[in-house]
Amino acid sequence: MGEPLFQTTFCITTYGCQMNKHDAERVAGMLEGQGCLPVGTYEEADIVVFMTCCVREAADVRLMGQVASMKNLPLRKGSSTGKRVVAVGGCIGQRDGEKLAQQLPHIDVVFGTYNLQSLPRLIASSFEDSKHHIEVLDGPAGFSTDLPSDREKPWAAWLPIIVGCDNFCSYCIVPSVRGREKSRPLEDVIEEAKGYVASGVKEITLLGQNVNSYGRDLYGQPRFYDVLEKIDSTGIARLRFATSHPKDLTQEVIGAFGALPSLMPAIHLPIQSGSNRILSAMNRGYTQEHYLGLIEALKTAAPGIALSTDVIVGFPGESESDFEQTCKVIEEVGYTQVFTFIYSRREGTPAAKMHDETPPEVVQERFDRLVAIVQRQAWAQNQKDVGTVVEVLVEGASKRNPQLITGKSPKNQTVHAKFPDGACDLTGSFVKVAVKEAKTWYLLGDIVDGGAYGRP
Ligand code: SAM
Ligand code: SF4
């Protein structure tokens, strides 16, 4: 790296999916590489970066409000930069480019999903003059994994294996802001994973809009199973992935659960709707029956596997009967977690042109009904672990009660346990917890005595 372009304080706000959070870690890594210091508030920051999401309208609205509030914020006391640079990146930056700076003239820098690496240069130019510095590319210049990173959790790493999406679900804006699928060469992925293992990382989560498609653009056929197998053999303690599209989930990948020791017994498999009519209108490429077949196969390959999903309520034309089919499937599968979304019309997507006659209050009532089912189910699934001992990767002290440690089980449940007398900081290490009680969203227990706390 050459001479630093600037050295000051920065603050990043991130919206949306794990890919965006991962991009934000890269942005933090680059700014720290310039000698900048991360700070916790906008007031203390000379550089404010928003990593944005445009999947649903609510994220757009929230961003506009927050960026607008920057306008009258006084400069940091003792700042020598003479101005605060406001930079907007991620999916909204990619989608709106120039338009953003017209809407909110006090934005200084706009960058897109393909050019994180341009940000330090754009910020440096912005400190030099009062112009807008806007740079949005039409396609990827490289993988952001080539950039430095400041990981939020030093013991866990996100590893993007494929970016973009070729699926074109009719409601979704992602393909137009993240582009076509582009896989990273297998050797690069394995190299990065080996580096993480060597530096003491305990958990790797492979990222992609549809990880099952991995390799199709490079090798003519998907090679996701190869990625799992090869990363498992690096000696990583825990391996996870997100997200898996049901139409592309193969029997080989299903068989990896229970066969590859590091692959944790949890899968996020978005269903979106239980109605075949709606699934077809969504262009999802599978039926309810196919989806339930996958669930059966997963439960056979890895009994007790934790299942999570995404559901959209109120897709254009969804009838009461369509919605009831969704509820029935959700009841039948037994999920530990369901992310429920009210359909959000996204300009430019095929669904935006579909006739939508369901009144918002009906959609809200369906949504509330579904949330009640989801909560009952999550509670019931967690009860199954009471009386068992689970291995927990500790994330630190509980925010609500510092006497408790908090961490994640193999099934990705949040686990709280009493901090053992005399133990040193357990963050990033494994402990065994005897589960005494289960709530809707977490397990409670005691650290099992007798063992060494943590392992290399
Ligand atoms: N690629 C992943 C997949 O297909 O499962 C998910 C990516 S998307 C960022 C995450 C979730 O947002 C989707 O699974 C879907 O449930 C939801 N989503 C996407 N577009 C939406 C829209 N227009 N309205 C409401 N929810 C939406
Ligand atoms: Fe969007 Fe569908 Fe691609 Fe997921 S698979 S990112 S929902 S288009």
Side-chain angles (χ1 to χ4, degrees):
M1 192 177 296
E3 281 291 296
L5 298 169
F6 47 81
Q7 290 182 323
T8 182
T9 54
F10 73 92
C11 179
I12 304 178
T13 298
T14 311
Y15 304 93
C17 67
Q18 285 157 322
M19 195 65 93
N20 234 10
K21 289 182 187 149
H22 172 264
D23 283 350
E25 291 185 346
R26 300 283 166 189
V27 167
M30 282 192 296
L31 296 179
E32 282 169 31
Q34 296 290 329
C36 291
L37 267 184
V39 289
T41 62
Y42 299 144
E43 285 78 3
E44 299 166 283
D46 284 342
I47 302 167
V48 175
V49 184
F50 292 95
M51 296 300 289
T52 63
C53 167
C54 58
V55 166
R56 284 170 292 278
E57 194 184 0
D60 270 64
V61 173
R62 207 150 28 115
L63 172 81
M64 294 305 162
Q66 257 182 335
V67 173
S69 75
M70 293 281 102
K71 196 173 167 192
N72 300 319
L73 195 67
L75 267 190
R76 172 175 75 89
K77 265 203 199 105
S79 169
S80 58
T81 56
K83 73 188 276 194
R84 175 180 286 110
V85 169
V86 177
V88 178
C91 294
I92 296 183
Q94 183 69 35
R95 185 193 63 189
D96 292 351
E98 192 88 36
K99 215 170 83 189
L100 258 183
Q102 284 162 11
Q103 278 173 326
L104 296 163
H106 60 290
I107 291 179
D108 302 287
V109 169
V110 180
F111 61 110
T113 53
Y114 300 125
N115 63 331
L116 295 186
Q117 66 282 2
S118 312
L119 183 62
R121 178 173 45 79
L122 296 171
I123 292 174
S125 307
S126 182
F127 277 130
E128 301 285 304
D129 58 34
S130 55
K131 294 186 198 142
H132 291 132
H133 293 272
I134 298 165
E135 196 174 290
V136 174
L137 305 184
D138 290 337
F143 266 89
S144 60
T145 37
D146 305 335
L147 304 172
S149 174
D150 173 20
R151 292 199 310 277
E152 190 191 337
K153 300 172 184 171
W155 63 91
W158 284 314
L159 202 170
I161 60 169
I162 177 168
V163 291
C165 183
D166 287 356
N167 287 309
F168 299 99
C169 301
S170 63
Y171 50 80
C172 186
I173 194 77
V174 168
S176 66
V177 286
R178 293 269 177 185
R180 297 296 80 77
E181 283 171 358
K182 189 168 188 292
S183 306
R184 286 177 75 194
L186 191 51
E187 310 78 64
D188 288 9
V189 170
I190 306 308
E191 258 333 281
E192 189 173 340
K194 281 184 181 160
Y196 287 138
V197 174
S199 66
V201 165
K202 308 284 174 41
E203 180 173 296
I204 291 177
T205 303
L206 305 176
L207 287 187
Q209 295 300 344
N210 178 10
V211 287
N212 299 316
S213 295
Y214 170 81
R216 199 167 4 219
D217 54 317
L218 287 182
Y219 310 112
Q221 59 181 22
R223 291 190 57 187
F224 182 49
Y225 178 80
D226 289 359
V227 180
L228 292 176
E229 197 183 30
K230 291 201 163 55
I231 295 192
D232 179 68
S233 66
T234 61
I236 188 72
R238 287 184 168 191
L239 177 59
R240 302 184 188 278
F241 58 82
T243 298
S244 190
H245 194 301
K247 81 175 162 52
D248 297 317
L249 180 62
T250 62
Q251 293 301 325
E252 204 182 16
V253 170
I254 291 175
F257 287 100
L260 302 179
S262 64
L263 189 59
M264 291 292 103
I267 184 169
H268 185 65
L269 197 61
I271 184 168
Q272 314 297 0
S273 169
S275 152
N276 286 341
R277 203 176 65 81
I278 297 294
L279 284 172
S280 165
M282 287 176 163
N283 191 29
R284 286 291 286 177
Y286 55 85
T287 59
Q288 182 208 100
E289 294 74 17
H290 178 77
Y291 184 92
L292 290 176
L294 295 174
I295 296 291
E296 267 323 296
L298 283 161
K299 287 179 175 173
T300 308
I305 190 170
L307 301 158
S308 59
T309 198
D310 292 346
V311 174
I312 296 177
V313 179
F315 184 81
E318 181 191 71
S319 66
E320 177 60 22
S321 144
D322 291 319
F323 176 69
E324 280 169 11
Q325 288 176 62
T326 301
C327 293
K328 187 163 164 282
V329 174
I330 300 297
E331 296 270 16
E332 200 172 316
V333 172
Y335 292 100
T336 49
Q337 173 84 287
V338 179
F339 298 90
T340 45
F341 305 108
I342 288 184
Y343 169 73
S344 175
R345 186 176 173 277
R346 302 282 65 199
E347 205 54 64
T349 61
K353 296 194 193 82
M354 293 179 190
H355 182 59
D356 188 4
E357 78 276 15
T358 318
E361 56 279 13
V362 172
V363 174
Q364 185 64 50
E365 188 275 329
R366 285 182 193 157
F367 181 83
D368 295 344
R369 244 191 296 162
L370 182 63
V371 168
I373 297 173
V374 168
Q375 288 180 349
R376 272 203 311 277
Q377 273 217 347
W379 184 88
Q381 289 302 319
N382 277 348
Q383 299 312 309
K384 295 181 182 170
D385 290 314
V386 175
T388 66
V389 173
V390 294
E391 190 177 63
V392 174
L393 180 50
V394 179
E395 299 194 335
S398 157
K399 288 199 184 94
R400 288 224 189 121
N401 180 352
Q403 311 228 292
L404 299 179
I405 58 104
T406 187
K408 292 287 185 198
S409 72
K411 292 201 279 185
N412 220 14
Q413 297 141 300
T414 297
V415 183
H416 300 299
K418 193 165 165 286
F419 196 90
D421 290 338
C424 52
D425 186 6
L426 296 168
T427 304
S429 51
F430 289 99
V431 295
K432 289 206 162 42
V433 172
V435 180
K436 296 277 165 59
E437 204 181 335
K439 305 280 189 190
T440 307
W441 301 124
Y442 60 90
L443 305 176
L444 266 171
D446 294 332
I447 294 183
V448 179
D449 291 332
Y453 293 122
R455 82 179 174 205

PDB file of all heavy atoms in Angstrom, residues 165-190:
ATOM      1  N   CYS A 165     -26.564 -12.909  -9.055  1.00  0.00           N
ATOM      2  CA  CYS A 165     -27.635 -13.907  -9.052  1.00  0.00           C
ATOM      3  C   CYS A 165     -28.255 -14.001 -10.438  1.00  0.00           C
ATOM      4  O   CYS A 165     -28.536 -12.979 -11.072  1.00  0.00           O
ATOM      5  CB  CYS A 165     -28.707 -13.516  -8.033  1.00  0.00           C
ATOM      6  SG  CYS A 165     -29.998 -14.762  -7.941  1.00  0.00           S
ATOM      7  N   ASP A 166     -28.457 -15.233 -10.909  1.00  0.00           N
ATOM      8  CA  ASP A 166     -29.056 -15.471 -12.235  1.00  0.00           C
ATOM      9  C   ASP A 166     -30.494 -15.947 -12.122  1.00  0.00           C
ATOM     10  O   ASP A 166     -31.049 -16.449 -13.097  1.00  0.00           O
ATOM     11  CB  ASP A 166     -28.264 -16.562 -12.993  1.00  0.00           C
ATOM     12  CG  ASP A 166     -26.923 -16.060 -13.477  1.00  0.00           C
ATOM     13  OD1 ASP A 166     -26.640 -14.864 -13.298  1.00  0.00           O
ATOM     14  OD2 ASP A 166     -26.153 -16.871 -14.033  1.00  0.00           O
ATOM     15  N   ASN A 167     -31.089 -15.832 -10.950  1.00  0.00           N
ATOM     16  CA  ASN A 167     -32.396 -16.488 -10.776  1.00  0.00           C
ATOM     17  C   ASN A 167     -33.604 -15.640 -11.138  1.00  0.00           C
ATOM     18  O   ASN A 167     -34.642 -16.173 -11.491  1.00  0.00           O
ATOM     19  CB  ASN A 167     -32.529 -17.008  -9.341  1.00  0.00           C
ATOM     20  CG  ASN A 167     -31.660 -18.225  -9.156  1.00  0.00           C
ATOM     21  OD1 ASN A 167     -31.722 -19.151  -9.948  1.00  0.00           O
ATOM     22  ND2 ASN A 167     -30.805 -18.205  -8.151  1.00  0.00           N
ATOM     23  N   PHE A 168     -33.518 -14.361 -10.996  1.00  0.00           N
ATOM     24  CA  PHE A 168     -34.607 -13.466 -11.404  1.00  0.00           C
ATOM     25  C   PHE A 168     -35.955 -13.853 -10.807  1.00  0.00           C
ATOM     26  O   PHE A 168     -36.946 -14.008 -11.514  1.00  0.00           O
ATOM     27  CB  PHE A 168     -34.698 -13.395 -12.939  1.00  0.00           C
ATOM     28  CG  PHE A 168     -33.444 -12.865 -13.561  1.00  0.00           C
ATOM     29  CD1 PHE A 168     -32.509 -13.730 -14.108  1.00  0.00           C
ATOM     30  CD2 PHE A 168     -33.178 -11.502 -13.548  1.00  0.00           C
ATOM     31  CE1 PHE A 168     -31.330 -13.248 -14.639  1.00  0.00           C
ATOM     32  CE2 PHE A 168     -31.991 -11.005 -14.081  1.00  0.00           C
ATOM     33  CZ  PHE A 168     -31.079 -11.884 -14.632  1.00  0.00           C
ATOM     34  N   CYS A 169     -36.002 -14.027  -9.508  1.00  0.00           N
ATOM     35  CA  CYS A 169     -37.286 -14.173  -8.828  1.00  0.00           C
ATOM     36  C   CYS A 169     -38.049 -12.880  -9.134  1.00  0.00           C
ATOM     37  O   CYS A 169     -37.454 -11.794  -9.122  1.00  0.00           O
ATOM     38  CB  CYS A 169     -37.079 -14.347  -7.328  1.00  0.00           C
ATOM     39  SG  CYS A 169     -36.060 -15.784  -6.975  1.00  0.00           S
ATOM     40  N   SER A 170     -39.346 -12.996  -9.410  1.00  0.00           N
ATOM     41  CA  SER A 170     -40.046 -11.859 -10.025  1.00  0.00           C
ATOM     42  C   SER A 170     -40.167 -10.644  -9.113  1.00  0.00           C
ATOM     43  O   SER A 170     -40.429  -9.549  -9.579  1.00  0.00           O
ATOM     44  CB  SER A 170     -41.428 -12.302 -10.500  1.00  0.00           C
ATOM     45  OG  SER A 170     -42.200 -12.713  -9.387  1.00  0.00           O
ATOM     46  N   TYR A 171     -39.993 -10.837  -7.795  1.00  0.00           N
ATOM     47  CA  TYR A 171     -40.147  -9.730  -6.843  1.00  0.00           C
ATOM     48  C   TYR A 171     -38.821  -9.050  -6.516  1.00  0.00           C
ATOM     49  O   TYR A 171     -38.782  -8.039  -5.830  1.00  0.00           O
ATOM     50  CB  TYR A 171     -40.730 -10.259  -5.513  1.00  0.00           C
ATOM     51  CG  TYR A 171     -39.976 -11.478  -4.997  1.00  0.00           C
ATOM     52  CD1 TYR A 171     -38.784 -11.333  -4.319  1.00  0.00           C
ATOM     53  CD2 TYR A 171     -40.439 -12.766  -5.256  1.00  0.00           C
ATOM     54  CE1 TYR A 171     -38.064 -12.432  -3.903  1.00  0.00           C
ATOM     55  CE2 TYR A 171     -39.739 -13.878  -4.835  1.00  0.00           C
ATOM     56  CZ  TYR A 171     -38.552 -13.696  -4.160  1.00  0.00           C
ATOM     57  OH  TYR A 171     -37.841 -14.789  -3.766  1.00  0.00           O
ATOM     58  N   CYS A 172     -37.700  -9.602  -6.995  1.00  0.00           N
ATOM     59  CA  CYS A 172     -36.402  -9.287  -6.380  1.00  0.00           C
ATOM     60  C   CYS A 172     -35.526  -8.354  -7.209  1.00  0.00           C
ATOM     61  O   CYS A 172     -35.315  -8.554  -8.406  1.00  0.00           O
ATOM     62  CB  CYS A 172     -35.661 -10.594  -6.104  1.00  0.00           C
ATOM     63  SG  CYS A 172     -34.140 -10.339  -5.195  1.00  0.00           S
ATOM     64  N   ILE A 173     -34.957  -7.367  -6.543  1.00  0.00           N
ATOM     65  CA  ILE A 173     -34.128  -6.341  -7.186  1.00  0.00           C
ATOM     66  C   ILE A 173     -32.652  -6.759  -7.236  1.00  0.00           C
ATOM     67  O   ILE A 173     -31.848  -6.166  -7.955  1.00  0.00           O
ATOM     68  CB  ILE A 173     -34.290  -4.996  -6.409  1.00  0.00           C
ATOM     69  CG1 ILE A 173     -33.758  -3.785  -7.168  1.00  0.00           C
ATOM     70  CG2 ILE A 173     -33.658  -5.050  -5.034  1.00  0.00           C
ATOM     71  CD1 ILE A 173     -34.669  -3.316  -8.250  1.00  0.00           C
ATOM     72  N   VAL A 174     -32.307  -7.818  -6.475  1.00  0.00           N
ATOM     73  CA  VAL A 174     -30.883  -8.176  -6.315  1.00  0.00           C
ATOM     74  C   VAL A 174     -30.150  -8.380  -7.647  1.00  0.00           C
ATOM     75  O   VAL A 174     -29.066  -7.820  -7.841  1.00  0.00           O
ATOM     76  CB  VAL A 174     -30.714  -9.397  -5.376  1.00  0.00           C
ATOM     77  CG1 VAL A 174     -29.304  -9.948  -5.424  1.00  0.00           C
ATOM     78  CG2 VAL A 174     -31.081  -9.019  -3.949  1.00  0.00           C
ATOM     79  N   PRO A 175     -30.718  -9.145  -8.623  1.00  0.00           N
ATOM     80  CA  PRO A 175     -29.948  -9.339  -9.855  1.00  0.00           C
ATOM     81  C   PRO A 175     -29.608  -8.030 -10.556  1.00  0.00           C
ATOM     82  O   PRO A 175     -28.571  -7.930 -11.207  1.00  0.00           O
ATOM     83  CB  PRO A 175     -30.881 -10.202 -10.725  1.00  0.00           C
ATOM     84  CG  PRO A 175     -31.726 -10.926  -9.731  1.00  0.00           C
ATOM     85  CD  PRO A 175     -31.950  -9.950  -8.604  1.00  0.00           C
ATOM     86  N   SER A 176     -30.451  -6.997 -10.403  1.00  0.00           N
ATOM     87  CA  SER A 176     -30.110  -5.762 -11.111  1.00  0.00           C
ATOM     88  C   SER A 176     -29.102  -4.894 -10.342  1.00  0.00           C
ATOM     89  O   SER A 176     -28.527  -3.991 -10.932  1.00  0.00           O
ATOM     90  CB  SER A 176     -31.362  -4.979 -11.512  1.00  0.00           C
ATOM     91  OG  SER A 176     -32.020  -4.535 -10.384  1.00  0.00           O
ATOM     92  N   VAL A 177     -28.879  -5.143  -9.057  1.00  0.00           N
ATOM     93  CA  VAL A 177     -27.852  -4.342  -8.356  1.00  0.00           C
ATOM     94  C   VAL A 177     -26.587  -5.135  -8.035  1.00  0.00           C
ATOM     95  O   VAL A 177     -25.559  -4.551  -7.681  1.00  0.00           O
ATOM     96  CB  VAL A 177     -28.398  -3.693  -7.053  1.00  0.00           C
ATOM     97  CG1 VAL A 177     -29.308  -2.533  -7.380  1.00  0.00           C
ATOM     98  CG2 VAL A 177     -29.086  -4.693  -6.156  1.00  0.00           C
ATOM     99  N   ARG A 178     -26.671  -6.463  -8.131  1.00  0.00           N
ATOM    100  CA  ARG A 178     -25.470  -7.283  -7.850  1.00  0.00           C
ATOM    101  C   ARG A 178     -25.001  -8.040  -9.097  1.00  0.00           C
ATOM    102  O   ARG A 178     -24.006  -8.767  -9.046  1.00  0.00           O
ATOM    103  CB  ARG A 178     -25.754  -8.275  -6.715  1.00  0.00           C
ATOM    104  CG  ARG A 178     -25.982  -7.611  -5.361  1.00  0.00           C
ATOM    105  CD  ARG A 178     -24.679  -7.479  -4.590  1.00  0.00           C
ATOM    106  NE  ARG A 178     -24.825  -6.797  -3.321  1.00  0.00           N
ATOM    107  CZ  ARG A 178     -23.804  -6.485  -2.541  1.00  0.00           C
ATOM    108  NH1 ARG A 178     -22.574  -6.813  -2.870  1.00  0.00           N
ATOM    109  NH2 ARG A 178     -23.989  -5.848  -1.406  1.00  0.00           N
ATOM    110  N   GLY A 179     -25.763  -7.923 -10.207  1.00  0.00           N
ATOM    111  CA  GLY A 179     -25.317  -8.485 -11.477  1.00  0.00           C
ATOM    112  C   GLY A 179     -25.439  -9.999 -11.590  1.00  0.00           C
ATOM    113  O   GLY A 179     -26.025 -10.656 -10.737  1.00  0.00           O
ATOM    114  N   ARG A 180     -24.861 -10.518 -12.705  1.00  0.00           N
ATOM    115  CA  ARG A 180     -24.928 -11.958 -12.973  1.00  0.00           C
ATOM    116  C   ARG A 180     -23.984 -12.714 -12.036  1.00  0.00           C
ATOM    117  O   ARG A 180     -23.064 -12.147 -11.468  1.00  0.00           O
ATOM    118  CB  ARG A 180     -24.494 -12.257 -14.415  1.00  0.00           C
ATOM    119  CG  ARG A 180     -25.354 -11.668 -15.555  1.00  0.00           C
ATOM    120  CD  ARG A 180     -26.763 -12.211 -15.572  1.00  0.00           C
ATOM    121  NE  ARG A 180     -27.567 -11.522 -14.568  1.00  0.00           N
ATOM    122  CZ  ARG A 180     -28.062 -10.296 -14.710  1.00  0.00           C
ATOM    123  NH1 ARG A 180     -27.852  -9.627 -15.801  1.00  0.00           N
ATOM    124  NH2 ARG A 180     -28.779  -9.739 -13.746  1.00  0.00           N
ATOM    125  N   GLU A 181     -24.225 -14.038 -11.944  1.00  0.00           N
ATOM    126  CA  GLU A 181     -23.398 -14.875 -11.066  1.00  0.00           C
ATOM    127  C   GLU A 181     -21.938 -14.882 -11.510  1.00  0.00           C
ATOM    128  O   GLU A 181     -21.649 -15.016 -12.700  1.00  0.00           O
ATOM    129  CB  GLU A 181     -23.921 -16.320 -11.093  1.00  0.00           C
ATOM    130  CG  GLU A 181     -25.167 -16.491 -10.275  1.00  0.00           C
ATOM    131  CD  GLU A 181     -25.831 -17.842 -10.447  1.00  0.00           C
ATOM    132  OE1 GLU A 181     -25.343 -18.665 -11.246  1.00  0.00           O
ATOM    133  OE2 GLU A 181     -26.866 -18.063  -9.801  1.00  0.00           O
ATOM    134  N   LYS A 182     -21.070 -14.756 -10.526  1.00  0.00           N
ATOM    135  CA  LYS A 182     -19.637 -14.829 -10.809  1.00  0.00           C
ATOM    136  C   LYS A 182     -18.990 -15.576  -9.646  1.00  0.00           C
ATOM    137  O   LYS A 182     -19.014 -15.096  -8.505  1.00  0.00           O
ATOM    138  CB  LYS A 182     -19.068 -13.413 -10.938  1.00  0.00           C
ATOM    139  CG  LYS A 182     -17.654 -13.391 -11.450  1.00  0.00           C
ATOM    140  CD  LYS A 182     -17.253 -11.964 -11.839  1.00  0.00           C
ATOM    141  CE  LYS A 182     -15.915 -11.885 -12.539  1.00  0.00           C
ATOM    142  NZ  LYS A 182     -14.776 -12.213 -11.696  1.00  0.00           N
ATOM    143  N   SER A 183     -18.441 -16.752  -9.954  1.00  0.00           N
ATOM    144  CA  SER A 183     -17.830 -17.570  -8.901  1.00  0.00           C
ATOM    145  C   SER A 183     -16.349 -17.242  -8.775  1.00  0.00           C
ATOM    146  O   SER A 183     -15.701 -16.863  -9.747  1.00  0.00           O
ATOM    147  CB  SER A 183     -17.943 -19.053  -9.251  1.00  0.00           C
ATOM    148  OG  SER A 183     -19.273 -19.389  -9.523  1.00  0.00           O
ATOM    149  N   ARG A 184     -15.831 -17.455  -7.580  1.00  0.00           N
ATOM    150  CA  ARG A 184     -14.378 -17.305  -7.381  1.00  0.00           C
ATOM    151  C   ARG A 184     -13.716 -18.640  -7.669  1.00  0.00           C
ATOM    152  O   ARG A 184     -14.251 -19.682  -7.290  1.00  0.00           O
ATOM    153  CB  ARG A 184     -14.076 -16.977  -5.925  1.00  0.00           C
ATOM    154  CG  ARG A 184     -14.415 -15.588  -5.559  1.00  0.00           C
ATOM    155  CD  ARG A 184     -14.132 -15.406  -4.086  1.00  0.00           C
ATOM    156  NE  ARG A 184     -12.703 -15.313  -3.813  1.00  0.00           N
ATOM    157  CZ  ARG A 184     -12.180 -15.415  -2.589  1.00  0.00           C
ATOM    158  NH1 ARG A 184     -12.955 -15.663  -1.555  1.00  0.00           N
ATOM    159  NH2 ARG A 184     -10.893 -15.285  -2.404  1.00  0.00           N
ATOM    160  N   PRO A 185     -12.533 -18.642  -8.266  1.00  0.00           N
ATOM    161  CA  PRO A 185     -11.861 -19.921  -8.503  1.00  0.00           C
ATOM    162  C   PRO A 185     -11.710 -20.703  -7.190  1.00  0.00           C
ATOM    163  O   PRO A 185     -11.436 -20.123  -6.135  1.00  0.00           O
ATOM    164  CB  PRO A 185     -10.500 -19.508  -9.058  1.00  0.00           C
ATOM    165  CG  PRO A 185     -10.709 -18.131  -9.607  1.00  0.00           C
ATOM    166  CD  PRO A 185     -11.769 -17.495  -8.758  1.00  0.00           C
ATOM    167  N   LEU A 186     -11.893 -22.008  -7.307  1.00  0.00           N
ATOM    168  CA  LEU A 186     -11.860 -22.881  -6.132  1.00  0.00           C
ATOM    169  C   LEU A 186     -10.560 -22.720  -5.332  1.00  0.00           C
ATOM    170  O   LEU A 186     -10.572 -22.665  -4.103  1.00  0.00           O
ATOM    171  CB  LEU A 186     -12.039 -24.336  -6.605  1.00  0.00           C
ATOM    172  CG  LEU A 186     -12.296 -25.408  -5.567  1.00  0.00           C
ATOM    173  CD1 LEU A 186     -13.437 -25.041  -4.643  1.00  0.00           C
ATOM    174  CD2 LEU A 186     -12.596 -26.745  -6.250  1.00  0.00           C
ATOM    175  N   GLU A 187      -9.426 -22.622  -6.066  1.00  0.00           N
ATOM    176  CA  GLU A 187      -8.133 -22.513  -5.368  1.00  0.00           C
ATOM    177  C   GLU A 187      -8.101 -21.262  -4.475  1.00  0.00           C
ATOM    178  O   GLU A 187      -7.573 -21.305  -3.357  1.00  0.00           O
ATOM    179  CB  GLU A 187      -6.939 -22.401  -6.351  1.00  0.00           C
ATOM    180  CG  GLU A 187      -6.892 -23.442  -7.455  1.00  0.00           C
ATOM    181  CD  GLU A 187      -7.854 -23.126  -8.582  1.00  0.00           C
ATOM    182  OE1 GLU A 187      -7.675 -22.103  -9.242  1.00  0.00           O
ATOM    183  OE2 GLU A 187      -8.814 -23.910  -8.799  1.00  0.00           O
ATOM    184  N   ASP A 188      -8.671 -20.140  -4.983  1.00  0.00           N
ATOM    185  CA  ASP A 188      -8.677 -18.897  -4.184  1.00  0.00           C
ATOM    186  C   ASP A 188      -9.495 -19.085  -2.917  1.00  0.00           C
ATOM    187  O   ASP A 188      -9.119 -18.624  -1.836  1.00  0.00           O
ATOM    188  CB  ASP A 188      -9.342 -17.742  -4.955  1.00  0.00           C
ATOM    189  CG  ASP A 188      -8.483 -17.240  -6.084  1.00  0.00           C
ATOM    190  OD1 ASP A 188      -7.462 -17.880  -6.375  1.00  0.00           O
ATOM    191  OD2 ASP A 188      -8.854 -16.209  -6.672  1.00  0.00           O
ATOM    192  N   VAL A 189     -10.639 -19.755  -3.072  1.00  0.00           N
ATOM    193  CA  VAL A 189     -11.530 -19.969  -1.931  1.00  0.00           C
ATOM    194  C   VAL A 189     -10.808 -20.806  -0.876  1.00  0.00           C
ATOM    195  O   VAL A 189     -10.801 -20.469   0.316  1.00  0.00           O
ATOM    196  CB  VAL A 189     -12.830 -20.673  -2.399  1.00  0.00           C
ATOM    197  CG1 VAL A 189     -13.663 -21.122  -1.220  1.00  0.00           C
ATOM    198  CG2 VAL A 189     -13.633 -19.758  -3.319  1.00  0.00           C
ATOM    199  N   ILE A 190     -10.155 -21.872  -1.324  1.00  0.00           N
ATOM    200  CA  ILE A 190      -9.484 -22.780  -0.381  1.00  0.00           C
ATOM    201  C   ILE A 190      -8.307 -22.071   0.298  1.00  0.00           C
ATOM    202  O   ILE A 190      -8.096 -22.190   1.500  1.00  0.00           O
ATOM    203  CB  ILE A 190      -8.986 -24.078  -1.089  1.00  0.00           C
ATOM    204  CG1 ILE A 190     -10.134 -24.755  -1.850  1.00  0.00           C
ATOM    205  CG2 ILE A 190      -8.341 -25.054  -0.109  1.00  0.00           C
ATOM    206  CD1 ILE A 190     -11.385 -25.019  -1.065  1.00  0.00           C
TER     207      ILE A 190
END
